[in-house]
Amino acid sequence: MRNMMLAVMLAALVPAVCAAGEVDLEKYLKRDTFTDLKISPSGEYFAATLPFEKQTGVVILRVADNQIVSRFLPPVNNHAVGFDWVSNDRVLIELAMKFGSLDQPQLTGELYSLKANVPNGGNLLVGQRKLQWVAAFLADQLPQDEKHVLIAVSTFGAEPYTRLERMNVADGQRWTVARSPVRRASFTTDGQGQGRFALGAGSDNINKLYYRDRNKQDWRMLNDEAVTSRIESAIGFSADGALAYLMVEQTDGPDSIVSWNPVTDERRQVLRDPVVDVTRIIHRPGTSIPVGALYMGDTPRTRFFDEASEDARLYRSLEAAFGGDAVYITSSTRDGSKVLVQTFSARNPGDFFIYDQKAKSAQHLISRSAWVEPDLAAPVRAVTIQSRDGMQLHGFLTTPHGREAKGLPMVVLPHGGPFGVFDSGAYDEESQLLAAAGYAVLQLNFRGSGNYGRAYKEAGKRQWGGAMQDDVTDATRWAIAEGIADRAKICIYGASYGAYAALMGVAKEPDLYRCAAGYVGIYDLPMMHTRGDIQDNRSGTNYLREWLGPVDKVREVSPVNLASQIRVPVFLAAGREDQRAPVQHTERMEAALKKAGVPVESLYYPREGHGFYVDANRREYYGKLLAFLSQNLGGDKAAAP
């Protein structure tokens, strides 16, 4: 039985009673109780992020009685996307701005300090609202210094140079420690708080990695992407400081973790998965020393630099205790005696436990979504598909709970992005919702996706409507050939780039799909060069030219120009405040479809952005989406609210 220690943060969890053949949207649209949870260095407090409609706040709770002792709520459209304990009773919070639930978070560079037992607010240390026209990001917590941290600071403007500064966490006073040799740099420090690596890029988006032995020495270039055709980044140092660990892209296949000796220049590969990139670095509890990695492949798995180490043994014992669920230690007390453990799977959004290493006991704290019953969730399995040109593609198939994966109506669900983004196989509310309505859901990591190495990602360059689209088509035909999908009942649906792939799919393959749906989509590719937030600076303009393609080359693969080839019903939804995929994309697509005589339904919200925030709007949207799919594929509709 789950121990709801943080029940003070939970809303009523009584499920609605739905008629047979109806989907309870609340079960899938209800916001997580929190999005992250970390224990303080002393073990006296927890800090947690709490999502609301248009903002994400932070609370501090006392472990002894689970009472909230401090809270911070940022302005609307601002979200606490990162926080770290920087002393025994203080959290440093990084904000990002998002105009829509699917928008890519844009870090604002504002840093807030939240102290335990200060009931409300949060002290702004760095940011525009303090009339400081700089952006700052945490670089080093300086664990042995309760009063200061190291931050990376840059001015606002086109591709600025970055400074490493020491900051007082109580009042925000700052002193410059180092200056980067490259624009838009991030720093990596050693165990003594010395700035040792700087990674950045100018408007050409070519990454350069610099190194130095200690503060005040000259930087020297360690890697230039223009020369090596790979990106290298530093992830930390060994316990004795003799070795640095680098994440290194490879010519083919996934990235590897390499140890590098700055004295001898010797390199040695210490970790590399045969299929996927590193998802998260594993650190030794209570330290910033990297010791292993979490990989999200066909199933989540952990690997260690030394499989016989205490760090590896700790993870193996936890993995055995939690019955096959993935395990990741999110934080620990400074002495490492207590660790906060997150467990998760494709059918479980996540549970958090506090594990006492001395007592060898684990205590359940809270579940991300306590209303989700993993045993009743739709099963998810990894799939591997061969593309028409021989590339091995990876994805995930979700099928309705309790039903055989044969002859099912199916929704093909390409992800957004598209470059560097990927479906991980972790719990996904949208695919679970669609499976609850009776559909198989196919999610493919087509070429251009992240997680499979540089070559896999670059294979999608300038392939909007080309090979990336062919991959989705090949996956759909695979599901038919395997007998999973009913060939007469397949719809393609997605958001952002996924919406583009949906409309492009029914334009290129008019006989393959029964319907298409696009959510906050991109349909007019030349418009991407003139409207939206990507081309706001030179690096964004160069990115569009390099990865999307020049204006005169993308007109012919724009769904808005191919409406006459579409012969199936279409559903479109958009927010009029969308800055990433401006609403004109959807308006033009709708107009083109109507002109071509294609049945089209549309839904617009005047005060939503790139993805819908407002609960009532989200319920209406998914209700209409399920009704549209039901009309064309025969699945279940949403239950009445």
Side-chain angles (χ1 to χ4, degrees), residues 92-95 107-111 125-127 132 134-139 151-156 162-163 165 167 174:
L92 197 66
I93 303 165
E94 292 186 349
L95 290 191
L107 291 168
T108 65
E110 291 180 307
L111 292 178
L125 300 179
V126 182
Q132 296 175 337
V134 296
F137 311 97
L138 182 65
I151 58 175
V153 179
S154 59
T155 58
F156 285 99
T162 314
R163 302 189 303 273
E165 296 188 349
M167 182 181 72
R174 312 194 311 268

Side-chain angles (χ1 to χ4, degrees), residues 577-591:
E577 292 185 351
D578 195 336
Q579 298 183 24
R580 177 53 51 92
V583 70
Q584 288 83 3
H585 281 278
T586 301
E587 291 174 333
R588 292 183 185 183
M589 190 73 242
E590 180 184 13

Side-chain angles (χ1 to χ4, degrees), residues 213-441:
D213 291 321
R214 61 184 59 85
N215 287 345
K216 297 185 179 180
Q217 288 195 342
D218 292 337
W219 294 98
R220 61 185 175 93
M221 188 181 294
L222 188 61
N223 181 70
D224 183 348
E225 185 186 6
V227 176
T228 64
S229 297
R230 66 172 181 262
I231 298 173
E232 296 185 358
S233 59
I235 59 175
F237 287 83
S238 58
D240 60 5
L243 298 176
Y245 293 108
L246 309 176
M247 189 76 69
V248 179
E249 291 184 334
Q250 302 298 310
T251 303
D252 191 30
D255 302 348
S256 65
I257 297 178
V258 172
S259 67
W260 174 61
N261 188 318
V263 176
T264 66
D265 201 33
E266 179 186 4
R267 290 185 174 218
R268 184 174 65 87
Q269 181 173 290
V270 295
L271 270 188
R272 191 187 188 204
D273 187 87
V275 179
V276 296
D277 295 336
V278 170
T279 299
R280 299 187 72 175
I281 297 297
I282 296 173
H283 296 92
R284 181 165 297 156
T287 76
S288 60
I289 301 167
V291 294
L294 170 69
Y295 296 90
M296 297 297 290
D298 52 355
T299 58
R301 50 185 174 269
T302 57
R303 292 183 61 194
F304 292 85
F305 302 172
D306 178 2
E307 289 292 344
S309 65
E310 290 185 11
D311 306 297
R313 289 198 296 271
L314 171 60
Y315 264 79
R316 298 297 173 249
S317 63
L318 289 171
E319 288 163 351
F322 289 113
D325 278 4
V327 167
Y328 185 79
I329 294 173
T330 70
S331 55
S332 73
T333 54
R334 187 152 291 155
D335 63 5
S337 63
K338 293 182 179 180
V339 296
L340 191 63
V341 181
Q342 177 188 2
T343 66
F344 61 94
S345 72
R347 304 173 76 171
N348 180 6
D351 292 303
F352 281 78
F353 298 81
I354 185 73
Y355 178 70
D356 188 321
Q357 294 209 65
K358 294 180 180 178
K360 305 295 183 186
S361 63
Q363 183 180 17
H364 182 264
L365 295 175
I366 193 170
S367 302
R368 266 216 175 99
S369 304
W371 51 92
V372 173
E373 294 294 335
D375 291 343
L376 299 180
V380 182
R381 69 178 173 94
V383 297
T384 302
I385 297 162
Q386 188 98 339
S387 72
R388 66 188 67 183
D389 63 359
M391 180 174 280
Q392 191 175 69
L393 307 172
H394 304 274
F396 296 91
L397 178 72
T398 304
T399 52
H401 175 76
R403 292 182 61 180
E404 185 181 6
K406 293 293 181 182
L408 296 170
M410 186 173 76
V411 176
V412 180
L413 186 61
H415 63 68
F419 302 113
V421 178
F422 66 98
D423 290 311
S424 68
Y427 186 88
D428 180 70
E429 291 87 353
E430 193 167 53
S431 58
Q432 288 286 330
L433 185 158
L434 293 170
Y439 306 112
V441 182

